[in-house]
Amino acid sequence: MLAWRSMSERLESYLNGAWRTGDGDTATLVNPATEQPLAEIKSVRGLADAVAWGREIGGRNLRALSFAERGERLAKLAKVIHGHRDELIAIAIANGGNTRGDAKFDIDGATAVLASYAALVPTLGASQGQAPWLVDGEAAPLHKGAKIRAQHVLLPRPGLAVHINAFNFPAWGMIGKLAVAFAAGMPVLSKPATSTAHLAARIARIVLDSGVVPEGAFQLLLGSAGDLLDRLGPQDVVAFTGSADTGARIRGHQRVLATNARVNIEADSLNAVVVGPDVASSSELFDLVVRDCVIELTQKAGQKCTATRRILVPSALLPELREALVDRLRAIAEKTGDPADDAVRMGPLSTKQQLADARSGLADLQRHAERVLGDPTRTEFAGVAPGVGYFLEPILLQATESAAQDPSAAFHQREVFGPVATLLPYDGTIASAAKIVALGEGSLVGTLYTDDREFTASAVASLSPWLGRLVLGTEKLAGAALAPGCVFPVCNHGGPGRAGDGAELGGKTGLAFYLQRTTLQGGAAELARLLGTPASDA
Ligand code: NAP
């Protein structure tokens, strides 16, 4: 494994066709396990030229490529990034506090989105060759017997896609969003979260040095967002991932309101799992529940928007599930430490502030739930001196059945962004489970573990409106199941309510955010000729 050098370097933004350090505030990026400084970023002031350059030059160059050609370039980018995998993993370990497994999850996740959209895009535009549009659905008569048809077409918006990302997935966050915008034909200006920007900055340089991306189609802004949002125009879009507070600020920004620039928000989420009443403690399905909950609590030290925060379990099964989870989590607590050591199974939180927020959130959760595992004040961890690093060992809490139904309980209100989850006992009916899940006010993902088909059907009907994705775990598929926090490019990513009401990825549907849907009204034969669609009804 490559060890990342600990010398401090100055990271640069790429704006308006040039690499530049800013002249604004300075931020120091650190290794969250050792607290050693790694790099510096200076924010850039005045982004009007970069926004205009991306919109005009980047947009023109990108739209000069067909959908299929853009797909080919995405495939090349996946290969280029994959070629730097070991170097990137080392950076993620140093600046993100990632274990090697965590780092691969982020970096391989990024190349997987590129590869997935590379494969999808040529199939979208195939029938239209070089046409700049996608034909959406079939032409419909305006009314019964009408000669005039309505046909929807989708065209890339001639604006700039502003991408603002959270600290927890610097690779997947930046590249996943870029892949979809690029495929659709919109130039991107990407702003990673400052604290973990080292990985994003390195990937951006690899992408830009590769020559695969046309001039202007990808810019990188390090440091604060500055006046970026003040420069938005009506064809621009903002895809944001981060906290609900920042999301609300972006949604309410005066320039967003004035221009109706499109906004997609991916925010906090109190993801729940529901263990069905038929799950027995000696079953493979029970083992799957335990495995998934442990992964979701500890992967990336629980700093995942899709991590499980609430575990709904029939009251009778709670003692056995608690015991199994405590056993497995205790083993990981013993191997929590500096992830530069391959034996470490969980690293630190990403920043000092995240640790402080997680501890204060825990105090809040403990007003309504009892801590059954973990000590939030622990200061000794593997590979570092006592008191060094932003570590939090896995914490498991347990509420009573009546507290679980209390809408004001903190575990239904506050996302503690760390290795923390709460066991919530319920009476084993889907009606109770659905009420409790809904108290989270909208989540990215929910998981159901049951082999009871009636329970499943009722759960799909009652839970789905509160979720962006529902994972169905069954005994038969236990061996093949993947942990629910893993987001595949073909799946919708985004959830209603608290989760931001956003929608990213999801294969073809993810492109819609970057495309304008326009209805063409005209004669059937004329539309078919123009669009190259079958003329059977002309
Ligand atoms: P955050 O503090 O809201 O920051 C997110 C991004 O917004 C960062 O790039 C940040 O820049 C930027 N930002 C902050 N203030 C801004 C402003 N006024 N205008 C424009 N940009 C601004 O969130 P975070 O702490 O990085 O991320 C943790 C949160 O993200 C958690 O709540 C988690 O649930 C959520 N998350 C959600 C998803 C999802 O897909 N739903 C995925 C990952 C994370 P600086 O870093 O420079 O401050």
Side-chain angles (χ1 to χ4, degrees), residues 281 283-299 319-336 345-346 372-374 378 393-396 419 483:
S281 59
S283 63
E284 269 189 61
L285 195 48
F286 180 86
D287 294 345
L288 181 67
V289 174
V290 174
R291 186 208 72 174
D292 284 357
C293 287
V294 169
I295 291 176
E296 292 307 327
L297 245 97
T298 58
Q299 191 172 45
E320 282 153 297
L321 181 59
R322 182 185 57 217
E323 202 179 308
L325 288 174
V326 163
D327 265 7
R328 298 278 301 274
L329 291 170
R330 197 168 270 143
I332 293 178
E334 281 165 15
K335 292 191 170 172
T336 297
R345 294 185 57 197
M346 192 176 86
V372 293
L373 176 77
R378 175 178 158 191
E393 67 176 359
I395 309 273
L396 188 65

Side-chain angles (χ1 to χ4, degrees), residues 440-453:
E441 296 180 344
S443 306
L444 294 171
V445 58
T447 315
L448 184 67
Y449 298 95
T450 184
D451 283 310
D452 179 333
R453 289 186 185 166

